[in-house]
Amino acid sequence: MFDFSQLRCFAAVAEELHFGRAAARLNMTQPPLSRQIQVLERILDVRLLERTSRSVRLTAAGRSFLPEAQRILRLAEAATHVTRQVAAGRAGVLKLGFTAASAYDVLPCLVSAVRRTLPDVTLALREMVSKDQIADLLAGRIDAALVRPPVTHPDLTAIRVLAEPLVVALPAAHPLAPRDRLSPGDLGGAALIGYAPNEARYFHDLTRDLLVETGIQPRIVQQLTQIHSILALVRAAVGIALVPAAAERLRFADVVFRPLALSAPRPVELLLAWRRDADDPLIAQLVSILSDMPAG
Amino acid sequence: MFDFSQLRCFAAVAEELHFGRAAARLNMTQPPLSRQIQVLERILDVRLLERTSRSVRLTAAGRSFLPEAQRILRLAEAATHVTRQVAAGRAGVLKLGFTAASAYDVLPCLVSAVRRTLPDVTLALREMVSKDQIADLLAGRIDAALVRPPVTHPDLTAIRVLAEPLVVALPAAHPLAPRDRLSPGDLGGAALIGYAPNEARYFHDLTRDLLVETGIQPRIVQQLTQIHSILALVRAAVGIALVPAAAERLRFADVVFRPLALSAPRPVELLLAWRRDADDPLIAQLVSILSDMPAG
DNA sequence: CGTCATTACGGAATGCGTAATGATA
DNA sequence: TATCATTACGCATTCCGTAATGACG
């Protein structure tokens, strides 16, 4: 098999049609250049250049080989470049899982930050509940995940990406709506739309603990998983709900949000998780971007 | 810049994920293989493989580099192969000029023979009168040409591809049509459709010489260039015409052809011409194919 | 202690540059 | 005779294989 240096030599001579100039371009003297061409021709067993001491011309085979040689050289350069970029975490594809709720605030910011600072990086996004993300992460089906706590598996690591307060979502016509802020006590008798203990375990436990802790007996009239479904029911005046502040981004008509005053703050957290042994430099880049984000 | 051997080494290790097996596949021992990988990583300044004494894994950069390496290796193989084929005249593109009349018989045979015996060869065809073909040949705009004699330019060579008799084309209702064969003398008083002295110089001179030589004063009622136009006028009973035998392939309704008995045969010739210094092996192939053809 | 990648080292081959040669207009 | 490609030759570098070392289970 021939060699990149032979391809470069041939391309230079074929373009210059002059050994002397080609050698100068390649920063070498004519003799080794001449020999490289001979070696290449011997390897291919094909005459590529018709040369007299007065002129150099391409043969038909040489004309056909030249663009191939140029293409191979270009590809080799490009492969070098892109591989360095990938190694630096400035190029490549990262498969990222996310929970539906993270799409309201963190995910759009993240996507646009990646687009801006790492234009050659592609995020392959996949919405899943946290439990499935953990499974896909361990199985290597995704590279990183925006999940709810906790992340306890020993093969995984995570950092906190977002901590936001819970707010109360309630129909505009609800008796509590005129109040500027609400305390857990205000929620005592109200019909409450809660979270499913399986599919939305984190929100279920968080809201239950919060209410039980302050002595409130919640009157749960529905249990759902997705925040947008919950807000739809709030809008239909089925009840009120505790949702993360980012839900305000959804802007349902006739649904208002009120801060929830708590003695001890109990933020809703979102984590970025990945395999501890992952070597993809894109993960470091992602962590760095998320750390620099305001809500981090 | 890295080297094909390094690419091959990397591809083998990346595919086997085992230095020992990869080395065996490459017919070498582990140490040089190990060093080639290190050299490649040093050249790229990128870690491609994560290796412990127990396992070999690709890094993200390695995963991105592997398909590139494989692609480059494939292209190099393909370029080698196609270049050898071109050098052997079994692949490539040949720009071939031809006269309209050669399309009736020789050209279709040639094209189908090339398709059958040289499937990787493309003929780029271009119809022109002989004079223009000679000019394009000299200018390098075409590589070979099917032309009428003579080809006298010192930079060109030609071989005879076809020699066919002249026949008489006449309307089915013509008084001479019932005769099985005709002699020049029979054409004495007949209205004759002749050839233009400029655009169809060869046929013009050939038919004029033939008639004058045998003492006939031709009564030319029209002068045209293209044989199919001439036959159209024959069909319209404008007159009779002398055409090459291949014209019978055109099968005009109500036009019949009769052999022309001559004391000295005066064949219509078709030549294949090319630049004397042309090095394209396809020309030799073409010559060989045409020599093997029956009418050659 | 066995497996497997890496480092150490000696010999062969490759590739460069300088100098000489050969061919062409 | 001048130009330009090729051959001759010496030196440095590269690369392979064998042997030794080191890490991990």
Side-chain angles (χ1 to χ4, degrees):
Chain A
M1 172 59 61
F2 47 79
D3 198 324
F4 282 103
S5 107
Q6 285 146 14
L7 293 186
R8 250 192 307 279
C9 288
F10 170 68
V13 176
E15 287 162 16
E16 299 285 347
L17 290 177
H18 190 289
F19 278 71
R21 284 195 298 274
R25 211 174 88 178
L26 295 164
N27 294 315
M28 66 195 300
T29 56
Q30 292 95 328
L33 173 59
S34 194
R35 258 173 293 140
Q36 290 286 27
I37 300 290
Q38 288 170 34
V39 169
L40 177 59
E41 288 181 326
R42 195 186 184 89
I43 288 170
L44 293 174
D45 196 25
V46 162
R47 193 144 200 81
L48 297 171
L49 295 164
E50 203 63 65
R51 40 218 195 265
T52 70
S53 61
R54 221 58 204 168
S55 75
V56 175
R57 287 184 355 184
L58 282 165
T59 64
R63 274 190 297 279
S64 134
F65 191 66
L66 176 58
E68 298 298 320
Q70 291 167 327
R71 179 144 154 255
I72 290 169
L73 289 169
R74 262 200 316 277
L75 280 175
E77 296 285 353
T80 303
H81 181 250
V82 72
T83 301
R84 286 188 182 133
Q85 293 288 95
V86 169
R90 284 193 299 270
V93 177
L94 191 112
K95 285 176 277 188
L96 176 67
F98 65 98
T99 62
S102 67
Y104 303 151
D105 191 29
V106 171
L107 191 67
C109 291
L110 178 62
V111 168
S112 80
V114 166
R115 261 182 164 43
R116 196 178 57 248
T117 61
L118 304 169
D120 296 329
V121 169
T122 306
L123 291 178
L125 299 172
R126 202 163 149 203
E127 194 220 297
M128 280 179 284
V129 298
S130 297
K131 199 172 57 177
D132 294 344
Q133 287 192 73
I134 299 295
D136 276 19
L137 213 46
L138 290 167
R141 286 188 291 270
I142 58 177
D143 302 308
L146 288 168
V147 292
R148 297 298 174 186
V151 171
T152 53
H153 194 288
D155 291 352
L156 301 181
T157 325
I159 56 158
R160 195 175 76 176
V161 161
L162 186 71
E164 53 182 341
L166 278 175
V167 297
V168 183
L170 57 179
H174 195 276
L176 292 172
R179 310 267 297 270
D180 269 354
R181 51 180 30 240
L182 299 169
S183 69
D186 299 326
L187 276 44
L192 210 63
I193 303 163
Y195 293 88
N198 267 331
E199 296 84 357
R201 180 182 191 80
Y202 174 67
F203 280 106
H204 172 85
D205 291 0
L206 184 75
T207 52
R208 185 202 53 197
D209 292 356
L210 179 150
L211 293 169
V212 166
E213 197 169 81
T214 51
I216 303 297
Q217 271 305 3
R219 184 159 69 84
I220 311 288
V221 294
Q222 282 288 339
Q223 284 190 326
L224 296 178
T225 303
Q226 304 279 25
I227 289 172
H228 61 85
S229 309
I230 290 173
L231 292 182
L233 290 193
V234 171
R235 187 185 174 212
V238 172
I240 68 177
L242 293 173
V243 297
E248 299 189 39
R249 302 291 165 99
L250 281 177
R251 305 221 161 275
F252 270 65
D254 308 320
V255 174
V256 299
F257 297 91
R258 295 291 175 258
L260 183 66
L262 293 173
S263 49
R266 187 179 284 275
V268 180
E269 291 183 323
L270 185 69
L271 308 181
L272 179 78
W274 65 91
R275 283 183 301 281
R276 190 179 299 279
D277 67 353
D279 58 357
D280 195 324
L282 273 179
I283 289 172
Q285 292 283 349
L286 213 63
V287 169
S288 147
I289 287 176
L290 284 167
S291 305
D292 291 352
M293 273 171 45
Chain B
M1 171 61 61
F2 48 79
D3 195 322
F4 283 103
S5 106
Q6 284 145 14
L7 293 186
R8 251 192 306 279
C9 288
F10 170 68
V13 175
E15 287 162 16
E16 299 285 347
L17 291 176
H18 189 288
F19 277 71
R21 284 195 298 275
R25 211 174 89 179
L26 296 165
N27 294 315
M28 66 195 301
T29 56
Q30 290 95 329
L33 173 58
S34 193
R35 256 173 295 137
Q36 289 285 27
I37 299 290
Q38 287 169 34
V39 169
L40 177 59
E41 287 180 328
R42 193 185 185 90
I43 289 169
L44 293 174
D45 196 24
V46 162
R47 193 146 200 79
L48 298 171
L49 294 163
E50 202 63 64
R51 40 222 196 261
T52 69
S53 60
R54 219 59 202 167
S55 77
V56 175
R57 286 184 355 183
L58 283 165
T59 63
R63 274 190 296 280
S64 134
F65 191 65
L66 176 59
E68 298 298 319
Q70 291 167 329
R71 178 144 155 256
I72 291 170
L73 289 169
R74 264 200 314 277
L75 279 175
E77 296 285 351
T80 303
H81 181 250
V82 73
T83 302
R84 286 188 182 135
Q85 292 289 96
V86 169
R90 285 193 298 270
V93 177
L94 191 111
K95 285 175 276 188
L96 177 67
F98 65 98
T99 64
S102 67
Y104 303 150
D105 192 29
V106 170
L107 191 67
C109 291
L110 178 62
V111 168
S112 79
V114 167
R115 263 182 163 42
R116 197 176 57 247
T117 61
L118 304 169
D120 295 329
V121 169
T122 306
L123 290 179
L125 298 171
R126 201 161 148 204
E127 194 219 296
M128 279 180 285
V129 297
S130 297
K131 199 172 56 178
D132 294 344
Q133 286 191 72
I134 300 294
D136 277 19
L137 214 45
L138 290 167
R141 287 188 290 269
I142 58 177
D143 302 309
L146 288 168
V147 292
R148 299 296 175 187
V151 170
T152 54
H153 196 287
D155 292 351
L156 301 181
T157 326
I159 58 159
R160 195 175 75 177
V161 161
L162 186 72
E164 53 181 342
L166 279 175
V167 296
V168 184
L170 57 181
H174 195 276
L176 291 172
R179 308 269 296 272
D180 270 354
R181 50 182 27 243
L182 300 170
S183 69
D186 300 326
L187 276 42
L192 211 63
I193 303 162
Y195 293 88
N198 268 330
E199 296 84 357
R201 179 181 191 82
Y202 174 66
F203 280 107
H204 173 84
D205 292 0
L206 185 75
T207 53
R208 186 201 52 196
D209 293 356
L210 180 149
L211 294 170
V212 166
E213 198 169 80
T214 50
I216 303 299
Q217 271 306 3
R219 185 160 69 85
I220 310 289
V221 295
Q222 281 287 341
Q223 284 189 327
L224 296 179
T225 302
Q226 304 279 24
I227 289 173
H228 61 85
S229 310
I230 290 173
L231 292 182
L233 290 194
V234 171
R235 187 185 174 212
V238 171
I240 68 178
L242 293 172
V243 297
E248 300 190 39
R249 302 292 164 97
L250 280 177
R251 305 217 162 278
F252 269 64
D254 307 319
V255 174
V256 298
F257 298 91
R258 296 290 174 261
L260 183 65
L262 293 173
S263 50
R266 188 178 284 275
V268 180
E269 292 183 324
L270 186 69
L271 308 182
L272 180 77
W274 64 93
R275 282 182 301 282
R276 191 180 297 281
D277 67 354
D279 58 356
D280 196 323
L282 272 180
I283 290 172
Q285 293 283 349
L286 214 62
V287 168
S288 148
I289 286 177
L290 285 167
S291 306
D292 290 352
M293 273 172 43

